[in-house]
């Protein structure tokens, strides 16, 4: 995890339009685009083809149709239509029925009711076809609304839906207790956004310490939690804790991002753990991609090499 300054830098760069235009032109070029390391394709068909080897390696997957911060009801409705089509395309492809999405993609910035209605439109075909739907967690102004919308959907009888909790947020233990009480599935992550000191831990040691405590809460009392990290120390802590408590490896799963630490993903499967890969795809890949660069400066060198070799 990088410090807050690097996150802020990449957050700023993500807003620069010229960079965005350049990246869109070169990033996903067929075959050689530098963003392809992290983004599985621009269409669901491309993404499903890119990850067709995962089941053979014993890896699960969740497909994420990239998009966020939609500002009109029409755009949110169009994204919802896309998701419904994607659900049917996943069913037709035979890929695993597991998707992740963001509420600002479904109109949370327009109003709460729009996001709830669009979620229902997605959950209808998702429930009918045995999907699990994970609501990703965005930055802290959306935390209350995200958990509140999950509560609403839960009260309406939707059970194949869960969300994400970030260990950098100081409120997270209370949120996990609430979600554990409901029986909702939680994915635990460190947190990818730039957050202020009053709401979020800033130092890696604090974020990691909180991650371990929250992981204990989830393994003890949660419903099939996902421990989502590439950090070998966090993974070792989870394995050791589960072992000390006699928890079997089917009680939880590890999750990692597409294109990151593939070696670790397959090593865990060989040790008998469940591992799911989060597979992003779509044309709106730029903000996601910039968050991945912000996590690790070495990725910038990787991208620059890609750009020059693309043109050379
Ligand atoms: P940390 O950042 O400490 O990195 C540990 C090690 O992992 C690094 O030393 C490096 O080896 C490797 N690594 C980490 N990031 C890398 C990168 N970008 N490129 C290459 N190597 C890298 N966040 C959020 O706020 N809301 C969400 O809904 C989600 N959803 C989500 C799903 C899944 C499946 C995962 C794995 C992660 C998320 N995240 C997320 C992102 C998460 O909050 C966090 O930003 C990243 O996982 C990076 O943190 P790590 O736990 O990997 O540790």
């Amino acid at each position: 995890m990088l410090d807050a300054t690097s996150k802020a830098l990449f957050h700023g760069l993500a807003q620069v339009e010229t960079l965005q235009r350049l990246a869109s032109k070169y990033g996903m070029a067929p075959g050689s685009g530098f963003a392809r390391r992290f983004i599985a394709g621009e269409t669901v068909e491309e993404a499903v083809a890119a990850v067709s080897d995962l089941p053979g390696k014993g890896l699960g997957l969740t497909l994420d149709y990239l998009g966020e911060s939609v500002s009109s009801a029409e755009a949110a409705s169009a994204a919802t239509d896309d998701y419904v089509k994607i659900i049917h395309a996943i069913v037709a492809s035979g890929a695993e029925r597991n998707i992740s999405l963001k509420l600002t993609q479904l109109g949370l910035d327009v109003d709460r009711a729009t996001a709830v209605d669009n979620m229902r439109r997605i959950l209808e075909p998702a429930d009918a076809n045995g999907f699990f739907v994970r609501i990703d967690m965005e930055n802290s102004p959306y935390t209350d609304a995200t958990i509140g919308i999950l509560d609403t959907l839960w009260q309406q009888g939707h059970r194949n839906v869960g969300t994400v909790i970030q260990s950098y947020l100081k409120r997270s233990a209370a949120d996990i207790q609430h979600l554990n009480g409901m029986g909702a599935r939680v994915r635990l992550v460190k947190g990818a956004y730039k957050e202020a000191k009053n709401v979020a831990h800033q130092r890696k040691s604090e974020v990691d310490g909180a991650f371990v405590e929250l992981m204990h809460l989830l393994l003890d009392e949660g419903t099939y939690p996902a421990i989502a990290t590439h950090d070998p120390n966090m993974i070792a802590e989870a394995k050791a804790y589960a072992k000390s408590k006699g928890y079997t490896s089917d009680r939880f799963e590890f999750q990692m991002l597409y294109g990151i630490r593939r070696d670790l993903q397959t090593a865990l499967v060989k040790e008998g753990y469940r591992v799911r890969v989060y597979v992003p795809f779509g044309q709106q890949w730029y903000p996601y991609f910039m968050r991945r660069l912000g996590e690790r400066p070495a990725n910038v060198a990787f991208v620059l090499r890609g750009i020059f070799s693309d043109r050379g």
Side-chain angles (χ1 to χ4, degrees):
M1 201 187 96
L2 270 193
D3 61 21
T5 321
S6 311
K7 270 190 183 168
L9 171 68
F10 281 91
H11 176 80
L13 287 176
Q15 320 297 322
V16 178
E17 271 185 37
T18 322
L19 269 182
Q20 218 172 114
R21 269 204 308 279
L22 265 175
S24 310
K25 193 161 166 201
Y26 297 108
M28 291 297 285
S32 60
F34 56 81
R36 286 189 182 268
R37 173 178 164 187
F38 301 114
I39 317 294
E42 291 196 297
T43 64
V44 65
E45 288 76 17
E46 228 186 322
V48 165
V51 296
S52 59
D53 62 329
L54 294 188
K57 293 179 177 163
L59 293 161
L61 58 85
T62 180
L63 282 157
D64 168 41
Y65 173 54
L66 291 166
E68 53 197 273
S69 308
V70 153
S71 57
S72 73
E74 292 70 30
S77 178
T80 306
D81 291 343
D82 287 347
Y83 252 111
V84 170
K85 283 187 205 138
I86 285 162
I87 285 170
H88 293 301
I90 292 173
V91 171
S93 75
E96 194 177 350
R97 300 178 183 191
N98 192 312
I99 54 175
S100 294
L101 47 75
K102 291 186 173 46
L103 289 178
T104 63
Q105 184 179 16
L106 304 182
L108 187 55
D109 285 330
V110 179
D111 64 22
R112 187 185 190 277
T114 302
V116 173
D117 285 349
N118 287 335
M119 266 307 284
R120 279 209 215 94
R121 274 177 57 204
I122 290 171
L123 287 175
E124 208 172 289
D127 285 350
N129 288 288
F131 274 71
F132 180 74
V133 179
R134 177 85 60 181
I135 307 175
D136 285 345
M137 189 57 80
E138 300 179 69
N139 41 340
S140 59
Y142 299 109
T143 313
D144 274 334
T146 303
I147 295 173
I149 287 176
L150 176 64
D151 281 345
T152 302
L153 297 167
W154 200 263
Q155 278 157 23
Q156 289 168 356
H158 296 286
R159 290 291 180 273
N160 290 332
V161 57
T163 192
V164 179
I165 294 293
Q166 299 148 326
S167 75
Y168 63 15
L169 289 189
K170 295 177 180 172
R171 57 178 284 167
S172 287
D175 290 335
I176 287 190
Q177 271 149 1
H178 171 71
L179 293 162
N180 282 353
M182 282 164 66
R185 280 162 63 170
V186 172
R187 172 201 294 151
L188 179 64
V189 301
K190 290 190 187 180
Y193 298 85
K194 172 181 156 333
E195 294 287 355
K197 274 206 281 278
N198 58 328
V199 295
H201 303 297
Q202 305 290 312
R203 293 217 303 270
K204 177 174 165 60
S205 59
E206 291 172 331
V207 177
D208 288 0
F211 191 97
V212 173
E213 277 176 29
L214 298 172
M215 178 261 290
H216 292 174
L217 269 181
L218 284 169
L219 287 178
D220 289 342
E221 293 160 14
T223 302
Y224 194 62
I227 313 298
T229 178
H230 316 91
D231 186 336
N233 293 330
M234 299 299 106
I235 291 168
E237 290 276 356
K239 289 200 277 191
Y241 189 70
K243 206 170 164 197
S244 74
K245 292 279 187 161
Y247 299 152
T248 50
S249 60
D250 56 359
R251 190 182 173 107
F252 64 98
E253 66 182 28
F254 288 110
Q255 293 190 354
M256 293 188 210
L257 300 176
Y258 177 77
I260 300 182
R261 293 304 310 260
R262 293 189 182 110
D263 55 336
L264 203 48
Q265 295 171 14
T266 46
L268 284 167
V269 170
K270 286 201 182 106
E271 288 174 49
Y273 292 101
R274 295 184 175 184
V275 182
R276 183 178 305 284
V277 180
Y278 179 103
V279 181
F281 71 94
Q283 291 185 321
Q284 310 287 317
W285 50 266
Y286 189 71
Y288 173 90
F289 176 72
M290 291 304 273
R291 283 196 291 277
R292 301 294 78 81
L293 293 193
E295 280 156 5
R296 196 162 177 257
N299 287 339
V300 178
F302 170 86
V303 166
L304 290 175
R305 272 201 306 279
I307 293 174
F308 289 115
S309 60
D310 281 355
R311 288 180 185 175

